[in-house]
């Protein structure tokens, strides 16, 4: 048993889901481990991780609508507003989704279901660069 | 240190929580590892995993009411409706709960609290068969 | 590769976030492993874990306001009320946040981002003692 660690940077274009399935798969494939556990960790509190449907882009649009409704921006809604009206909603969205995901690996590949993709979820309005740590432990 | 991997199928009866604590415990017990980390991974985007109270079934009923309120079905609410009115709410529920859970193992048993059960949460109306990967790493 | 396990008790003062970053870091530091994976597991269903901003305390106040709004207490809202009006909202809050967190470790330290803190989130009104299992696997 051994482990491998890498940090990747994900460029975002403001609010929305950015698929990183391919980059995670590349990392896993490059380590030459048949079986193991991949952990992805988002090093931010206004972006997060999510496994979601990778087929119909409407799903991502509807998710965005849902989170905008449940954690709206708005004057007077939050005490914490010094970093802009989209910052506190971003923290709430991050709390409701995941900072970290773990995916079992078999035959050198993540054990994702057919329709599952791995996404970084940017919650701020502005484009950004987000750091995600990838950790693989296996044999 | 070594690892073990198995996939189980969970039959659901439509929306609601199906306890899988016993099946996870059986898997852990069969591997003969005293200590380790069990990871459960749900290979779907319209079902998810959750650790919840295992005592009073009313808790599960109230959870269901909560998620039905927060992510309602409804004509015109979602763009993504080709798979039925319960599909997009199912993706939202999955985003708000967990695709993956990790539970430390000690003395050959999951370190669950007294009132904790491990559940698959079916989010679609129709009964289904759901695949959950179980991965144990330990010694 | 080897592993270490410890259970810590976290004293809470009723609803709100209690930072446990330092205690997790102490555990990691004491194991003398350069690289690995730390898993934190909350052994309760009315408290949970969350990685959140550690800078502005207003963020924690706004989070609390959000969860009070989305999962309110109230006569007649829930079937499950035998443990008090704050118990079922606590289970909902726990379902929406995390029972378990995994954080990669490098150079003997958790790979947290600059503004990330690890918190136990107490969801009941009364002060309590909460048990969190810490599991480290690495080399």
């Amino acid at each position: 048993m051994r482990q491998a660690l890498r940090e990747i940077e994900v460029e975002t274009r403001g609010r929305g889901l950015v698929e990183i399935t391919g980059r995670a798969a590349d990392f896993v494939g490059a380590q030459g481990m048949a079986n193991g556990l991949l952990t992805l960790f988002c090093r931010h509190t206004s972006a997060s991780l999510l496994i979601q449907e990778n087929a119909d882009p409407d799903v991502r649009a509807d998710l965005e609508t849902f989170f905008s409704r449940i954690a709206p921006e708005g004057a007077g809604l939050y005490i914490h507003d010094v970093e802009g009206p989209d910052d506190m909603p971003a923290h709430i969205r991050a709390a409701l989704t995941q900072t970290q995901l773990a995916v079992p690996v078999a035959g050198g590949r993540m054990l994702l279901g057919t329709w599952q993709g791995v996404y970084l979820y940017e919650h701020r309005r502005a484009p950004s660069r987000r750091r995600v740590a990838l950790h693989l432990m296996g044999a």
Side-chain angles (χ1 to χ4, degrees), chain A:
Chain A
M1 300 250 323
R2 57 194 169 88
Q3 52 187 333
L5 180 68
R6 183 182 303 168
E7 187 173 290
I8 62 171
E9 263 197 2
V10 181
E11 291 202 45
T12 71
R13 293 181 293 180
R15 263 188 202 153
L17 293 145
V18 180
E19 185 159 16
I20 58 171
T21 316
R23 295 182 70 180
D26 288 348
F27 168 72
V28 169
Q31 308 314 317
M33 298 188 206
N35 301 300
L37 184 70
L38 174 71
T39 301
L40 303 99
F41 184 85
C42 178
R43 302 184 69 192
H44 305 271
T45 59
S46 53
S48 58
L49 300 171
L50 202 56
I51 289 180
Q52 262 297 324
E53 205 203 77
N54 59 6
D56 183 355
D58 289 346
V59 170
R60 270 106 72 195
D62 284 336
L63 266 181
E64 184 49 43
T65 303
F66 169 79
F67 281 108
S68 294
R69 173 169 65 79
I70 207 169
E73 292 184 19
L77 278 180
Y78 309 104
I79 309 170
H80 174 80
D81 58 7
V82 288
E83 295 173 64
D86 61 330
D87 192 58
M88 193 58 223
H91 292 312
I92 293 171
R93 288 154 166 257
L96 294 174
T97 51
Q98 268 74 57
T99 296
Q100 155 268 316
L101 295 170
V103 189
V105 168
R109 300 178 62 172
M110 289 183 283
L111 264 181
L112 295 171
T114 312
W115 310 109
Q116 288 182 313
V118 183
Y119 294 88
L120 178 103
Y121 203 164
E122 171 66 59
H123 299 302
R124 299 297 307 265
R125 287 193 173 276
S128 189
R129 282 171 178 270
R130 301 300 195 168
R131 290 166 298 141
V132 177
L134 306 178
H135 177 269
L136 178 63
M137 194 174 267

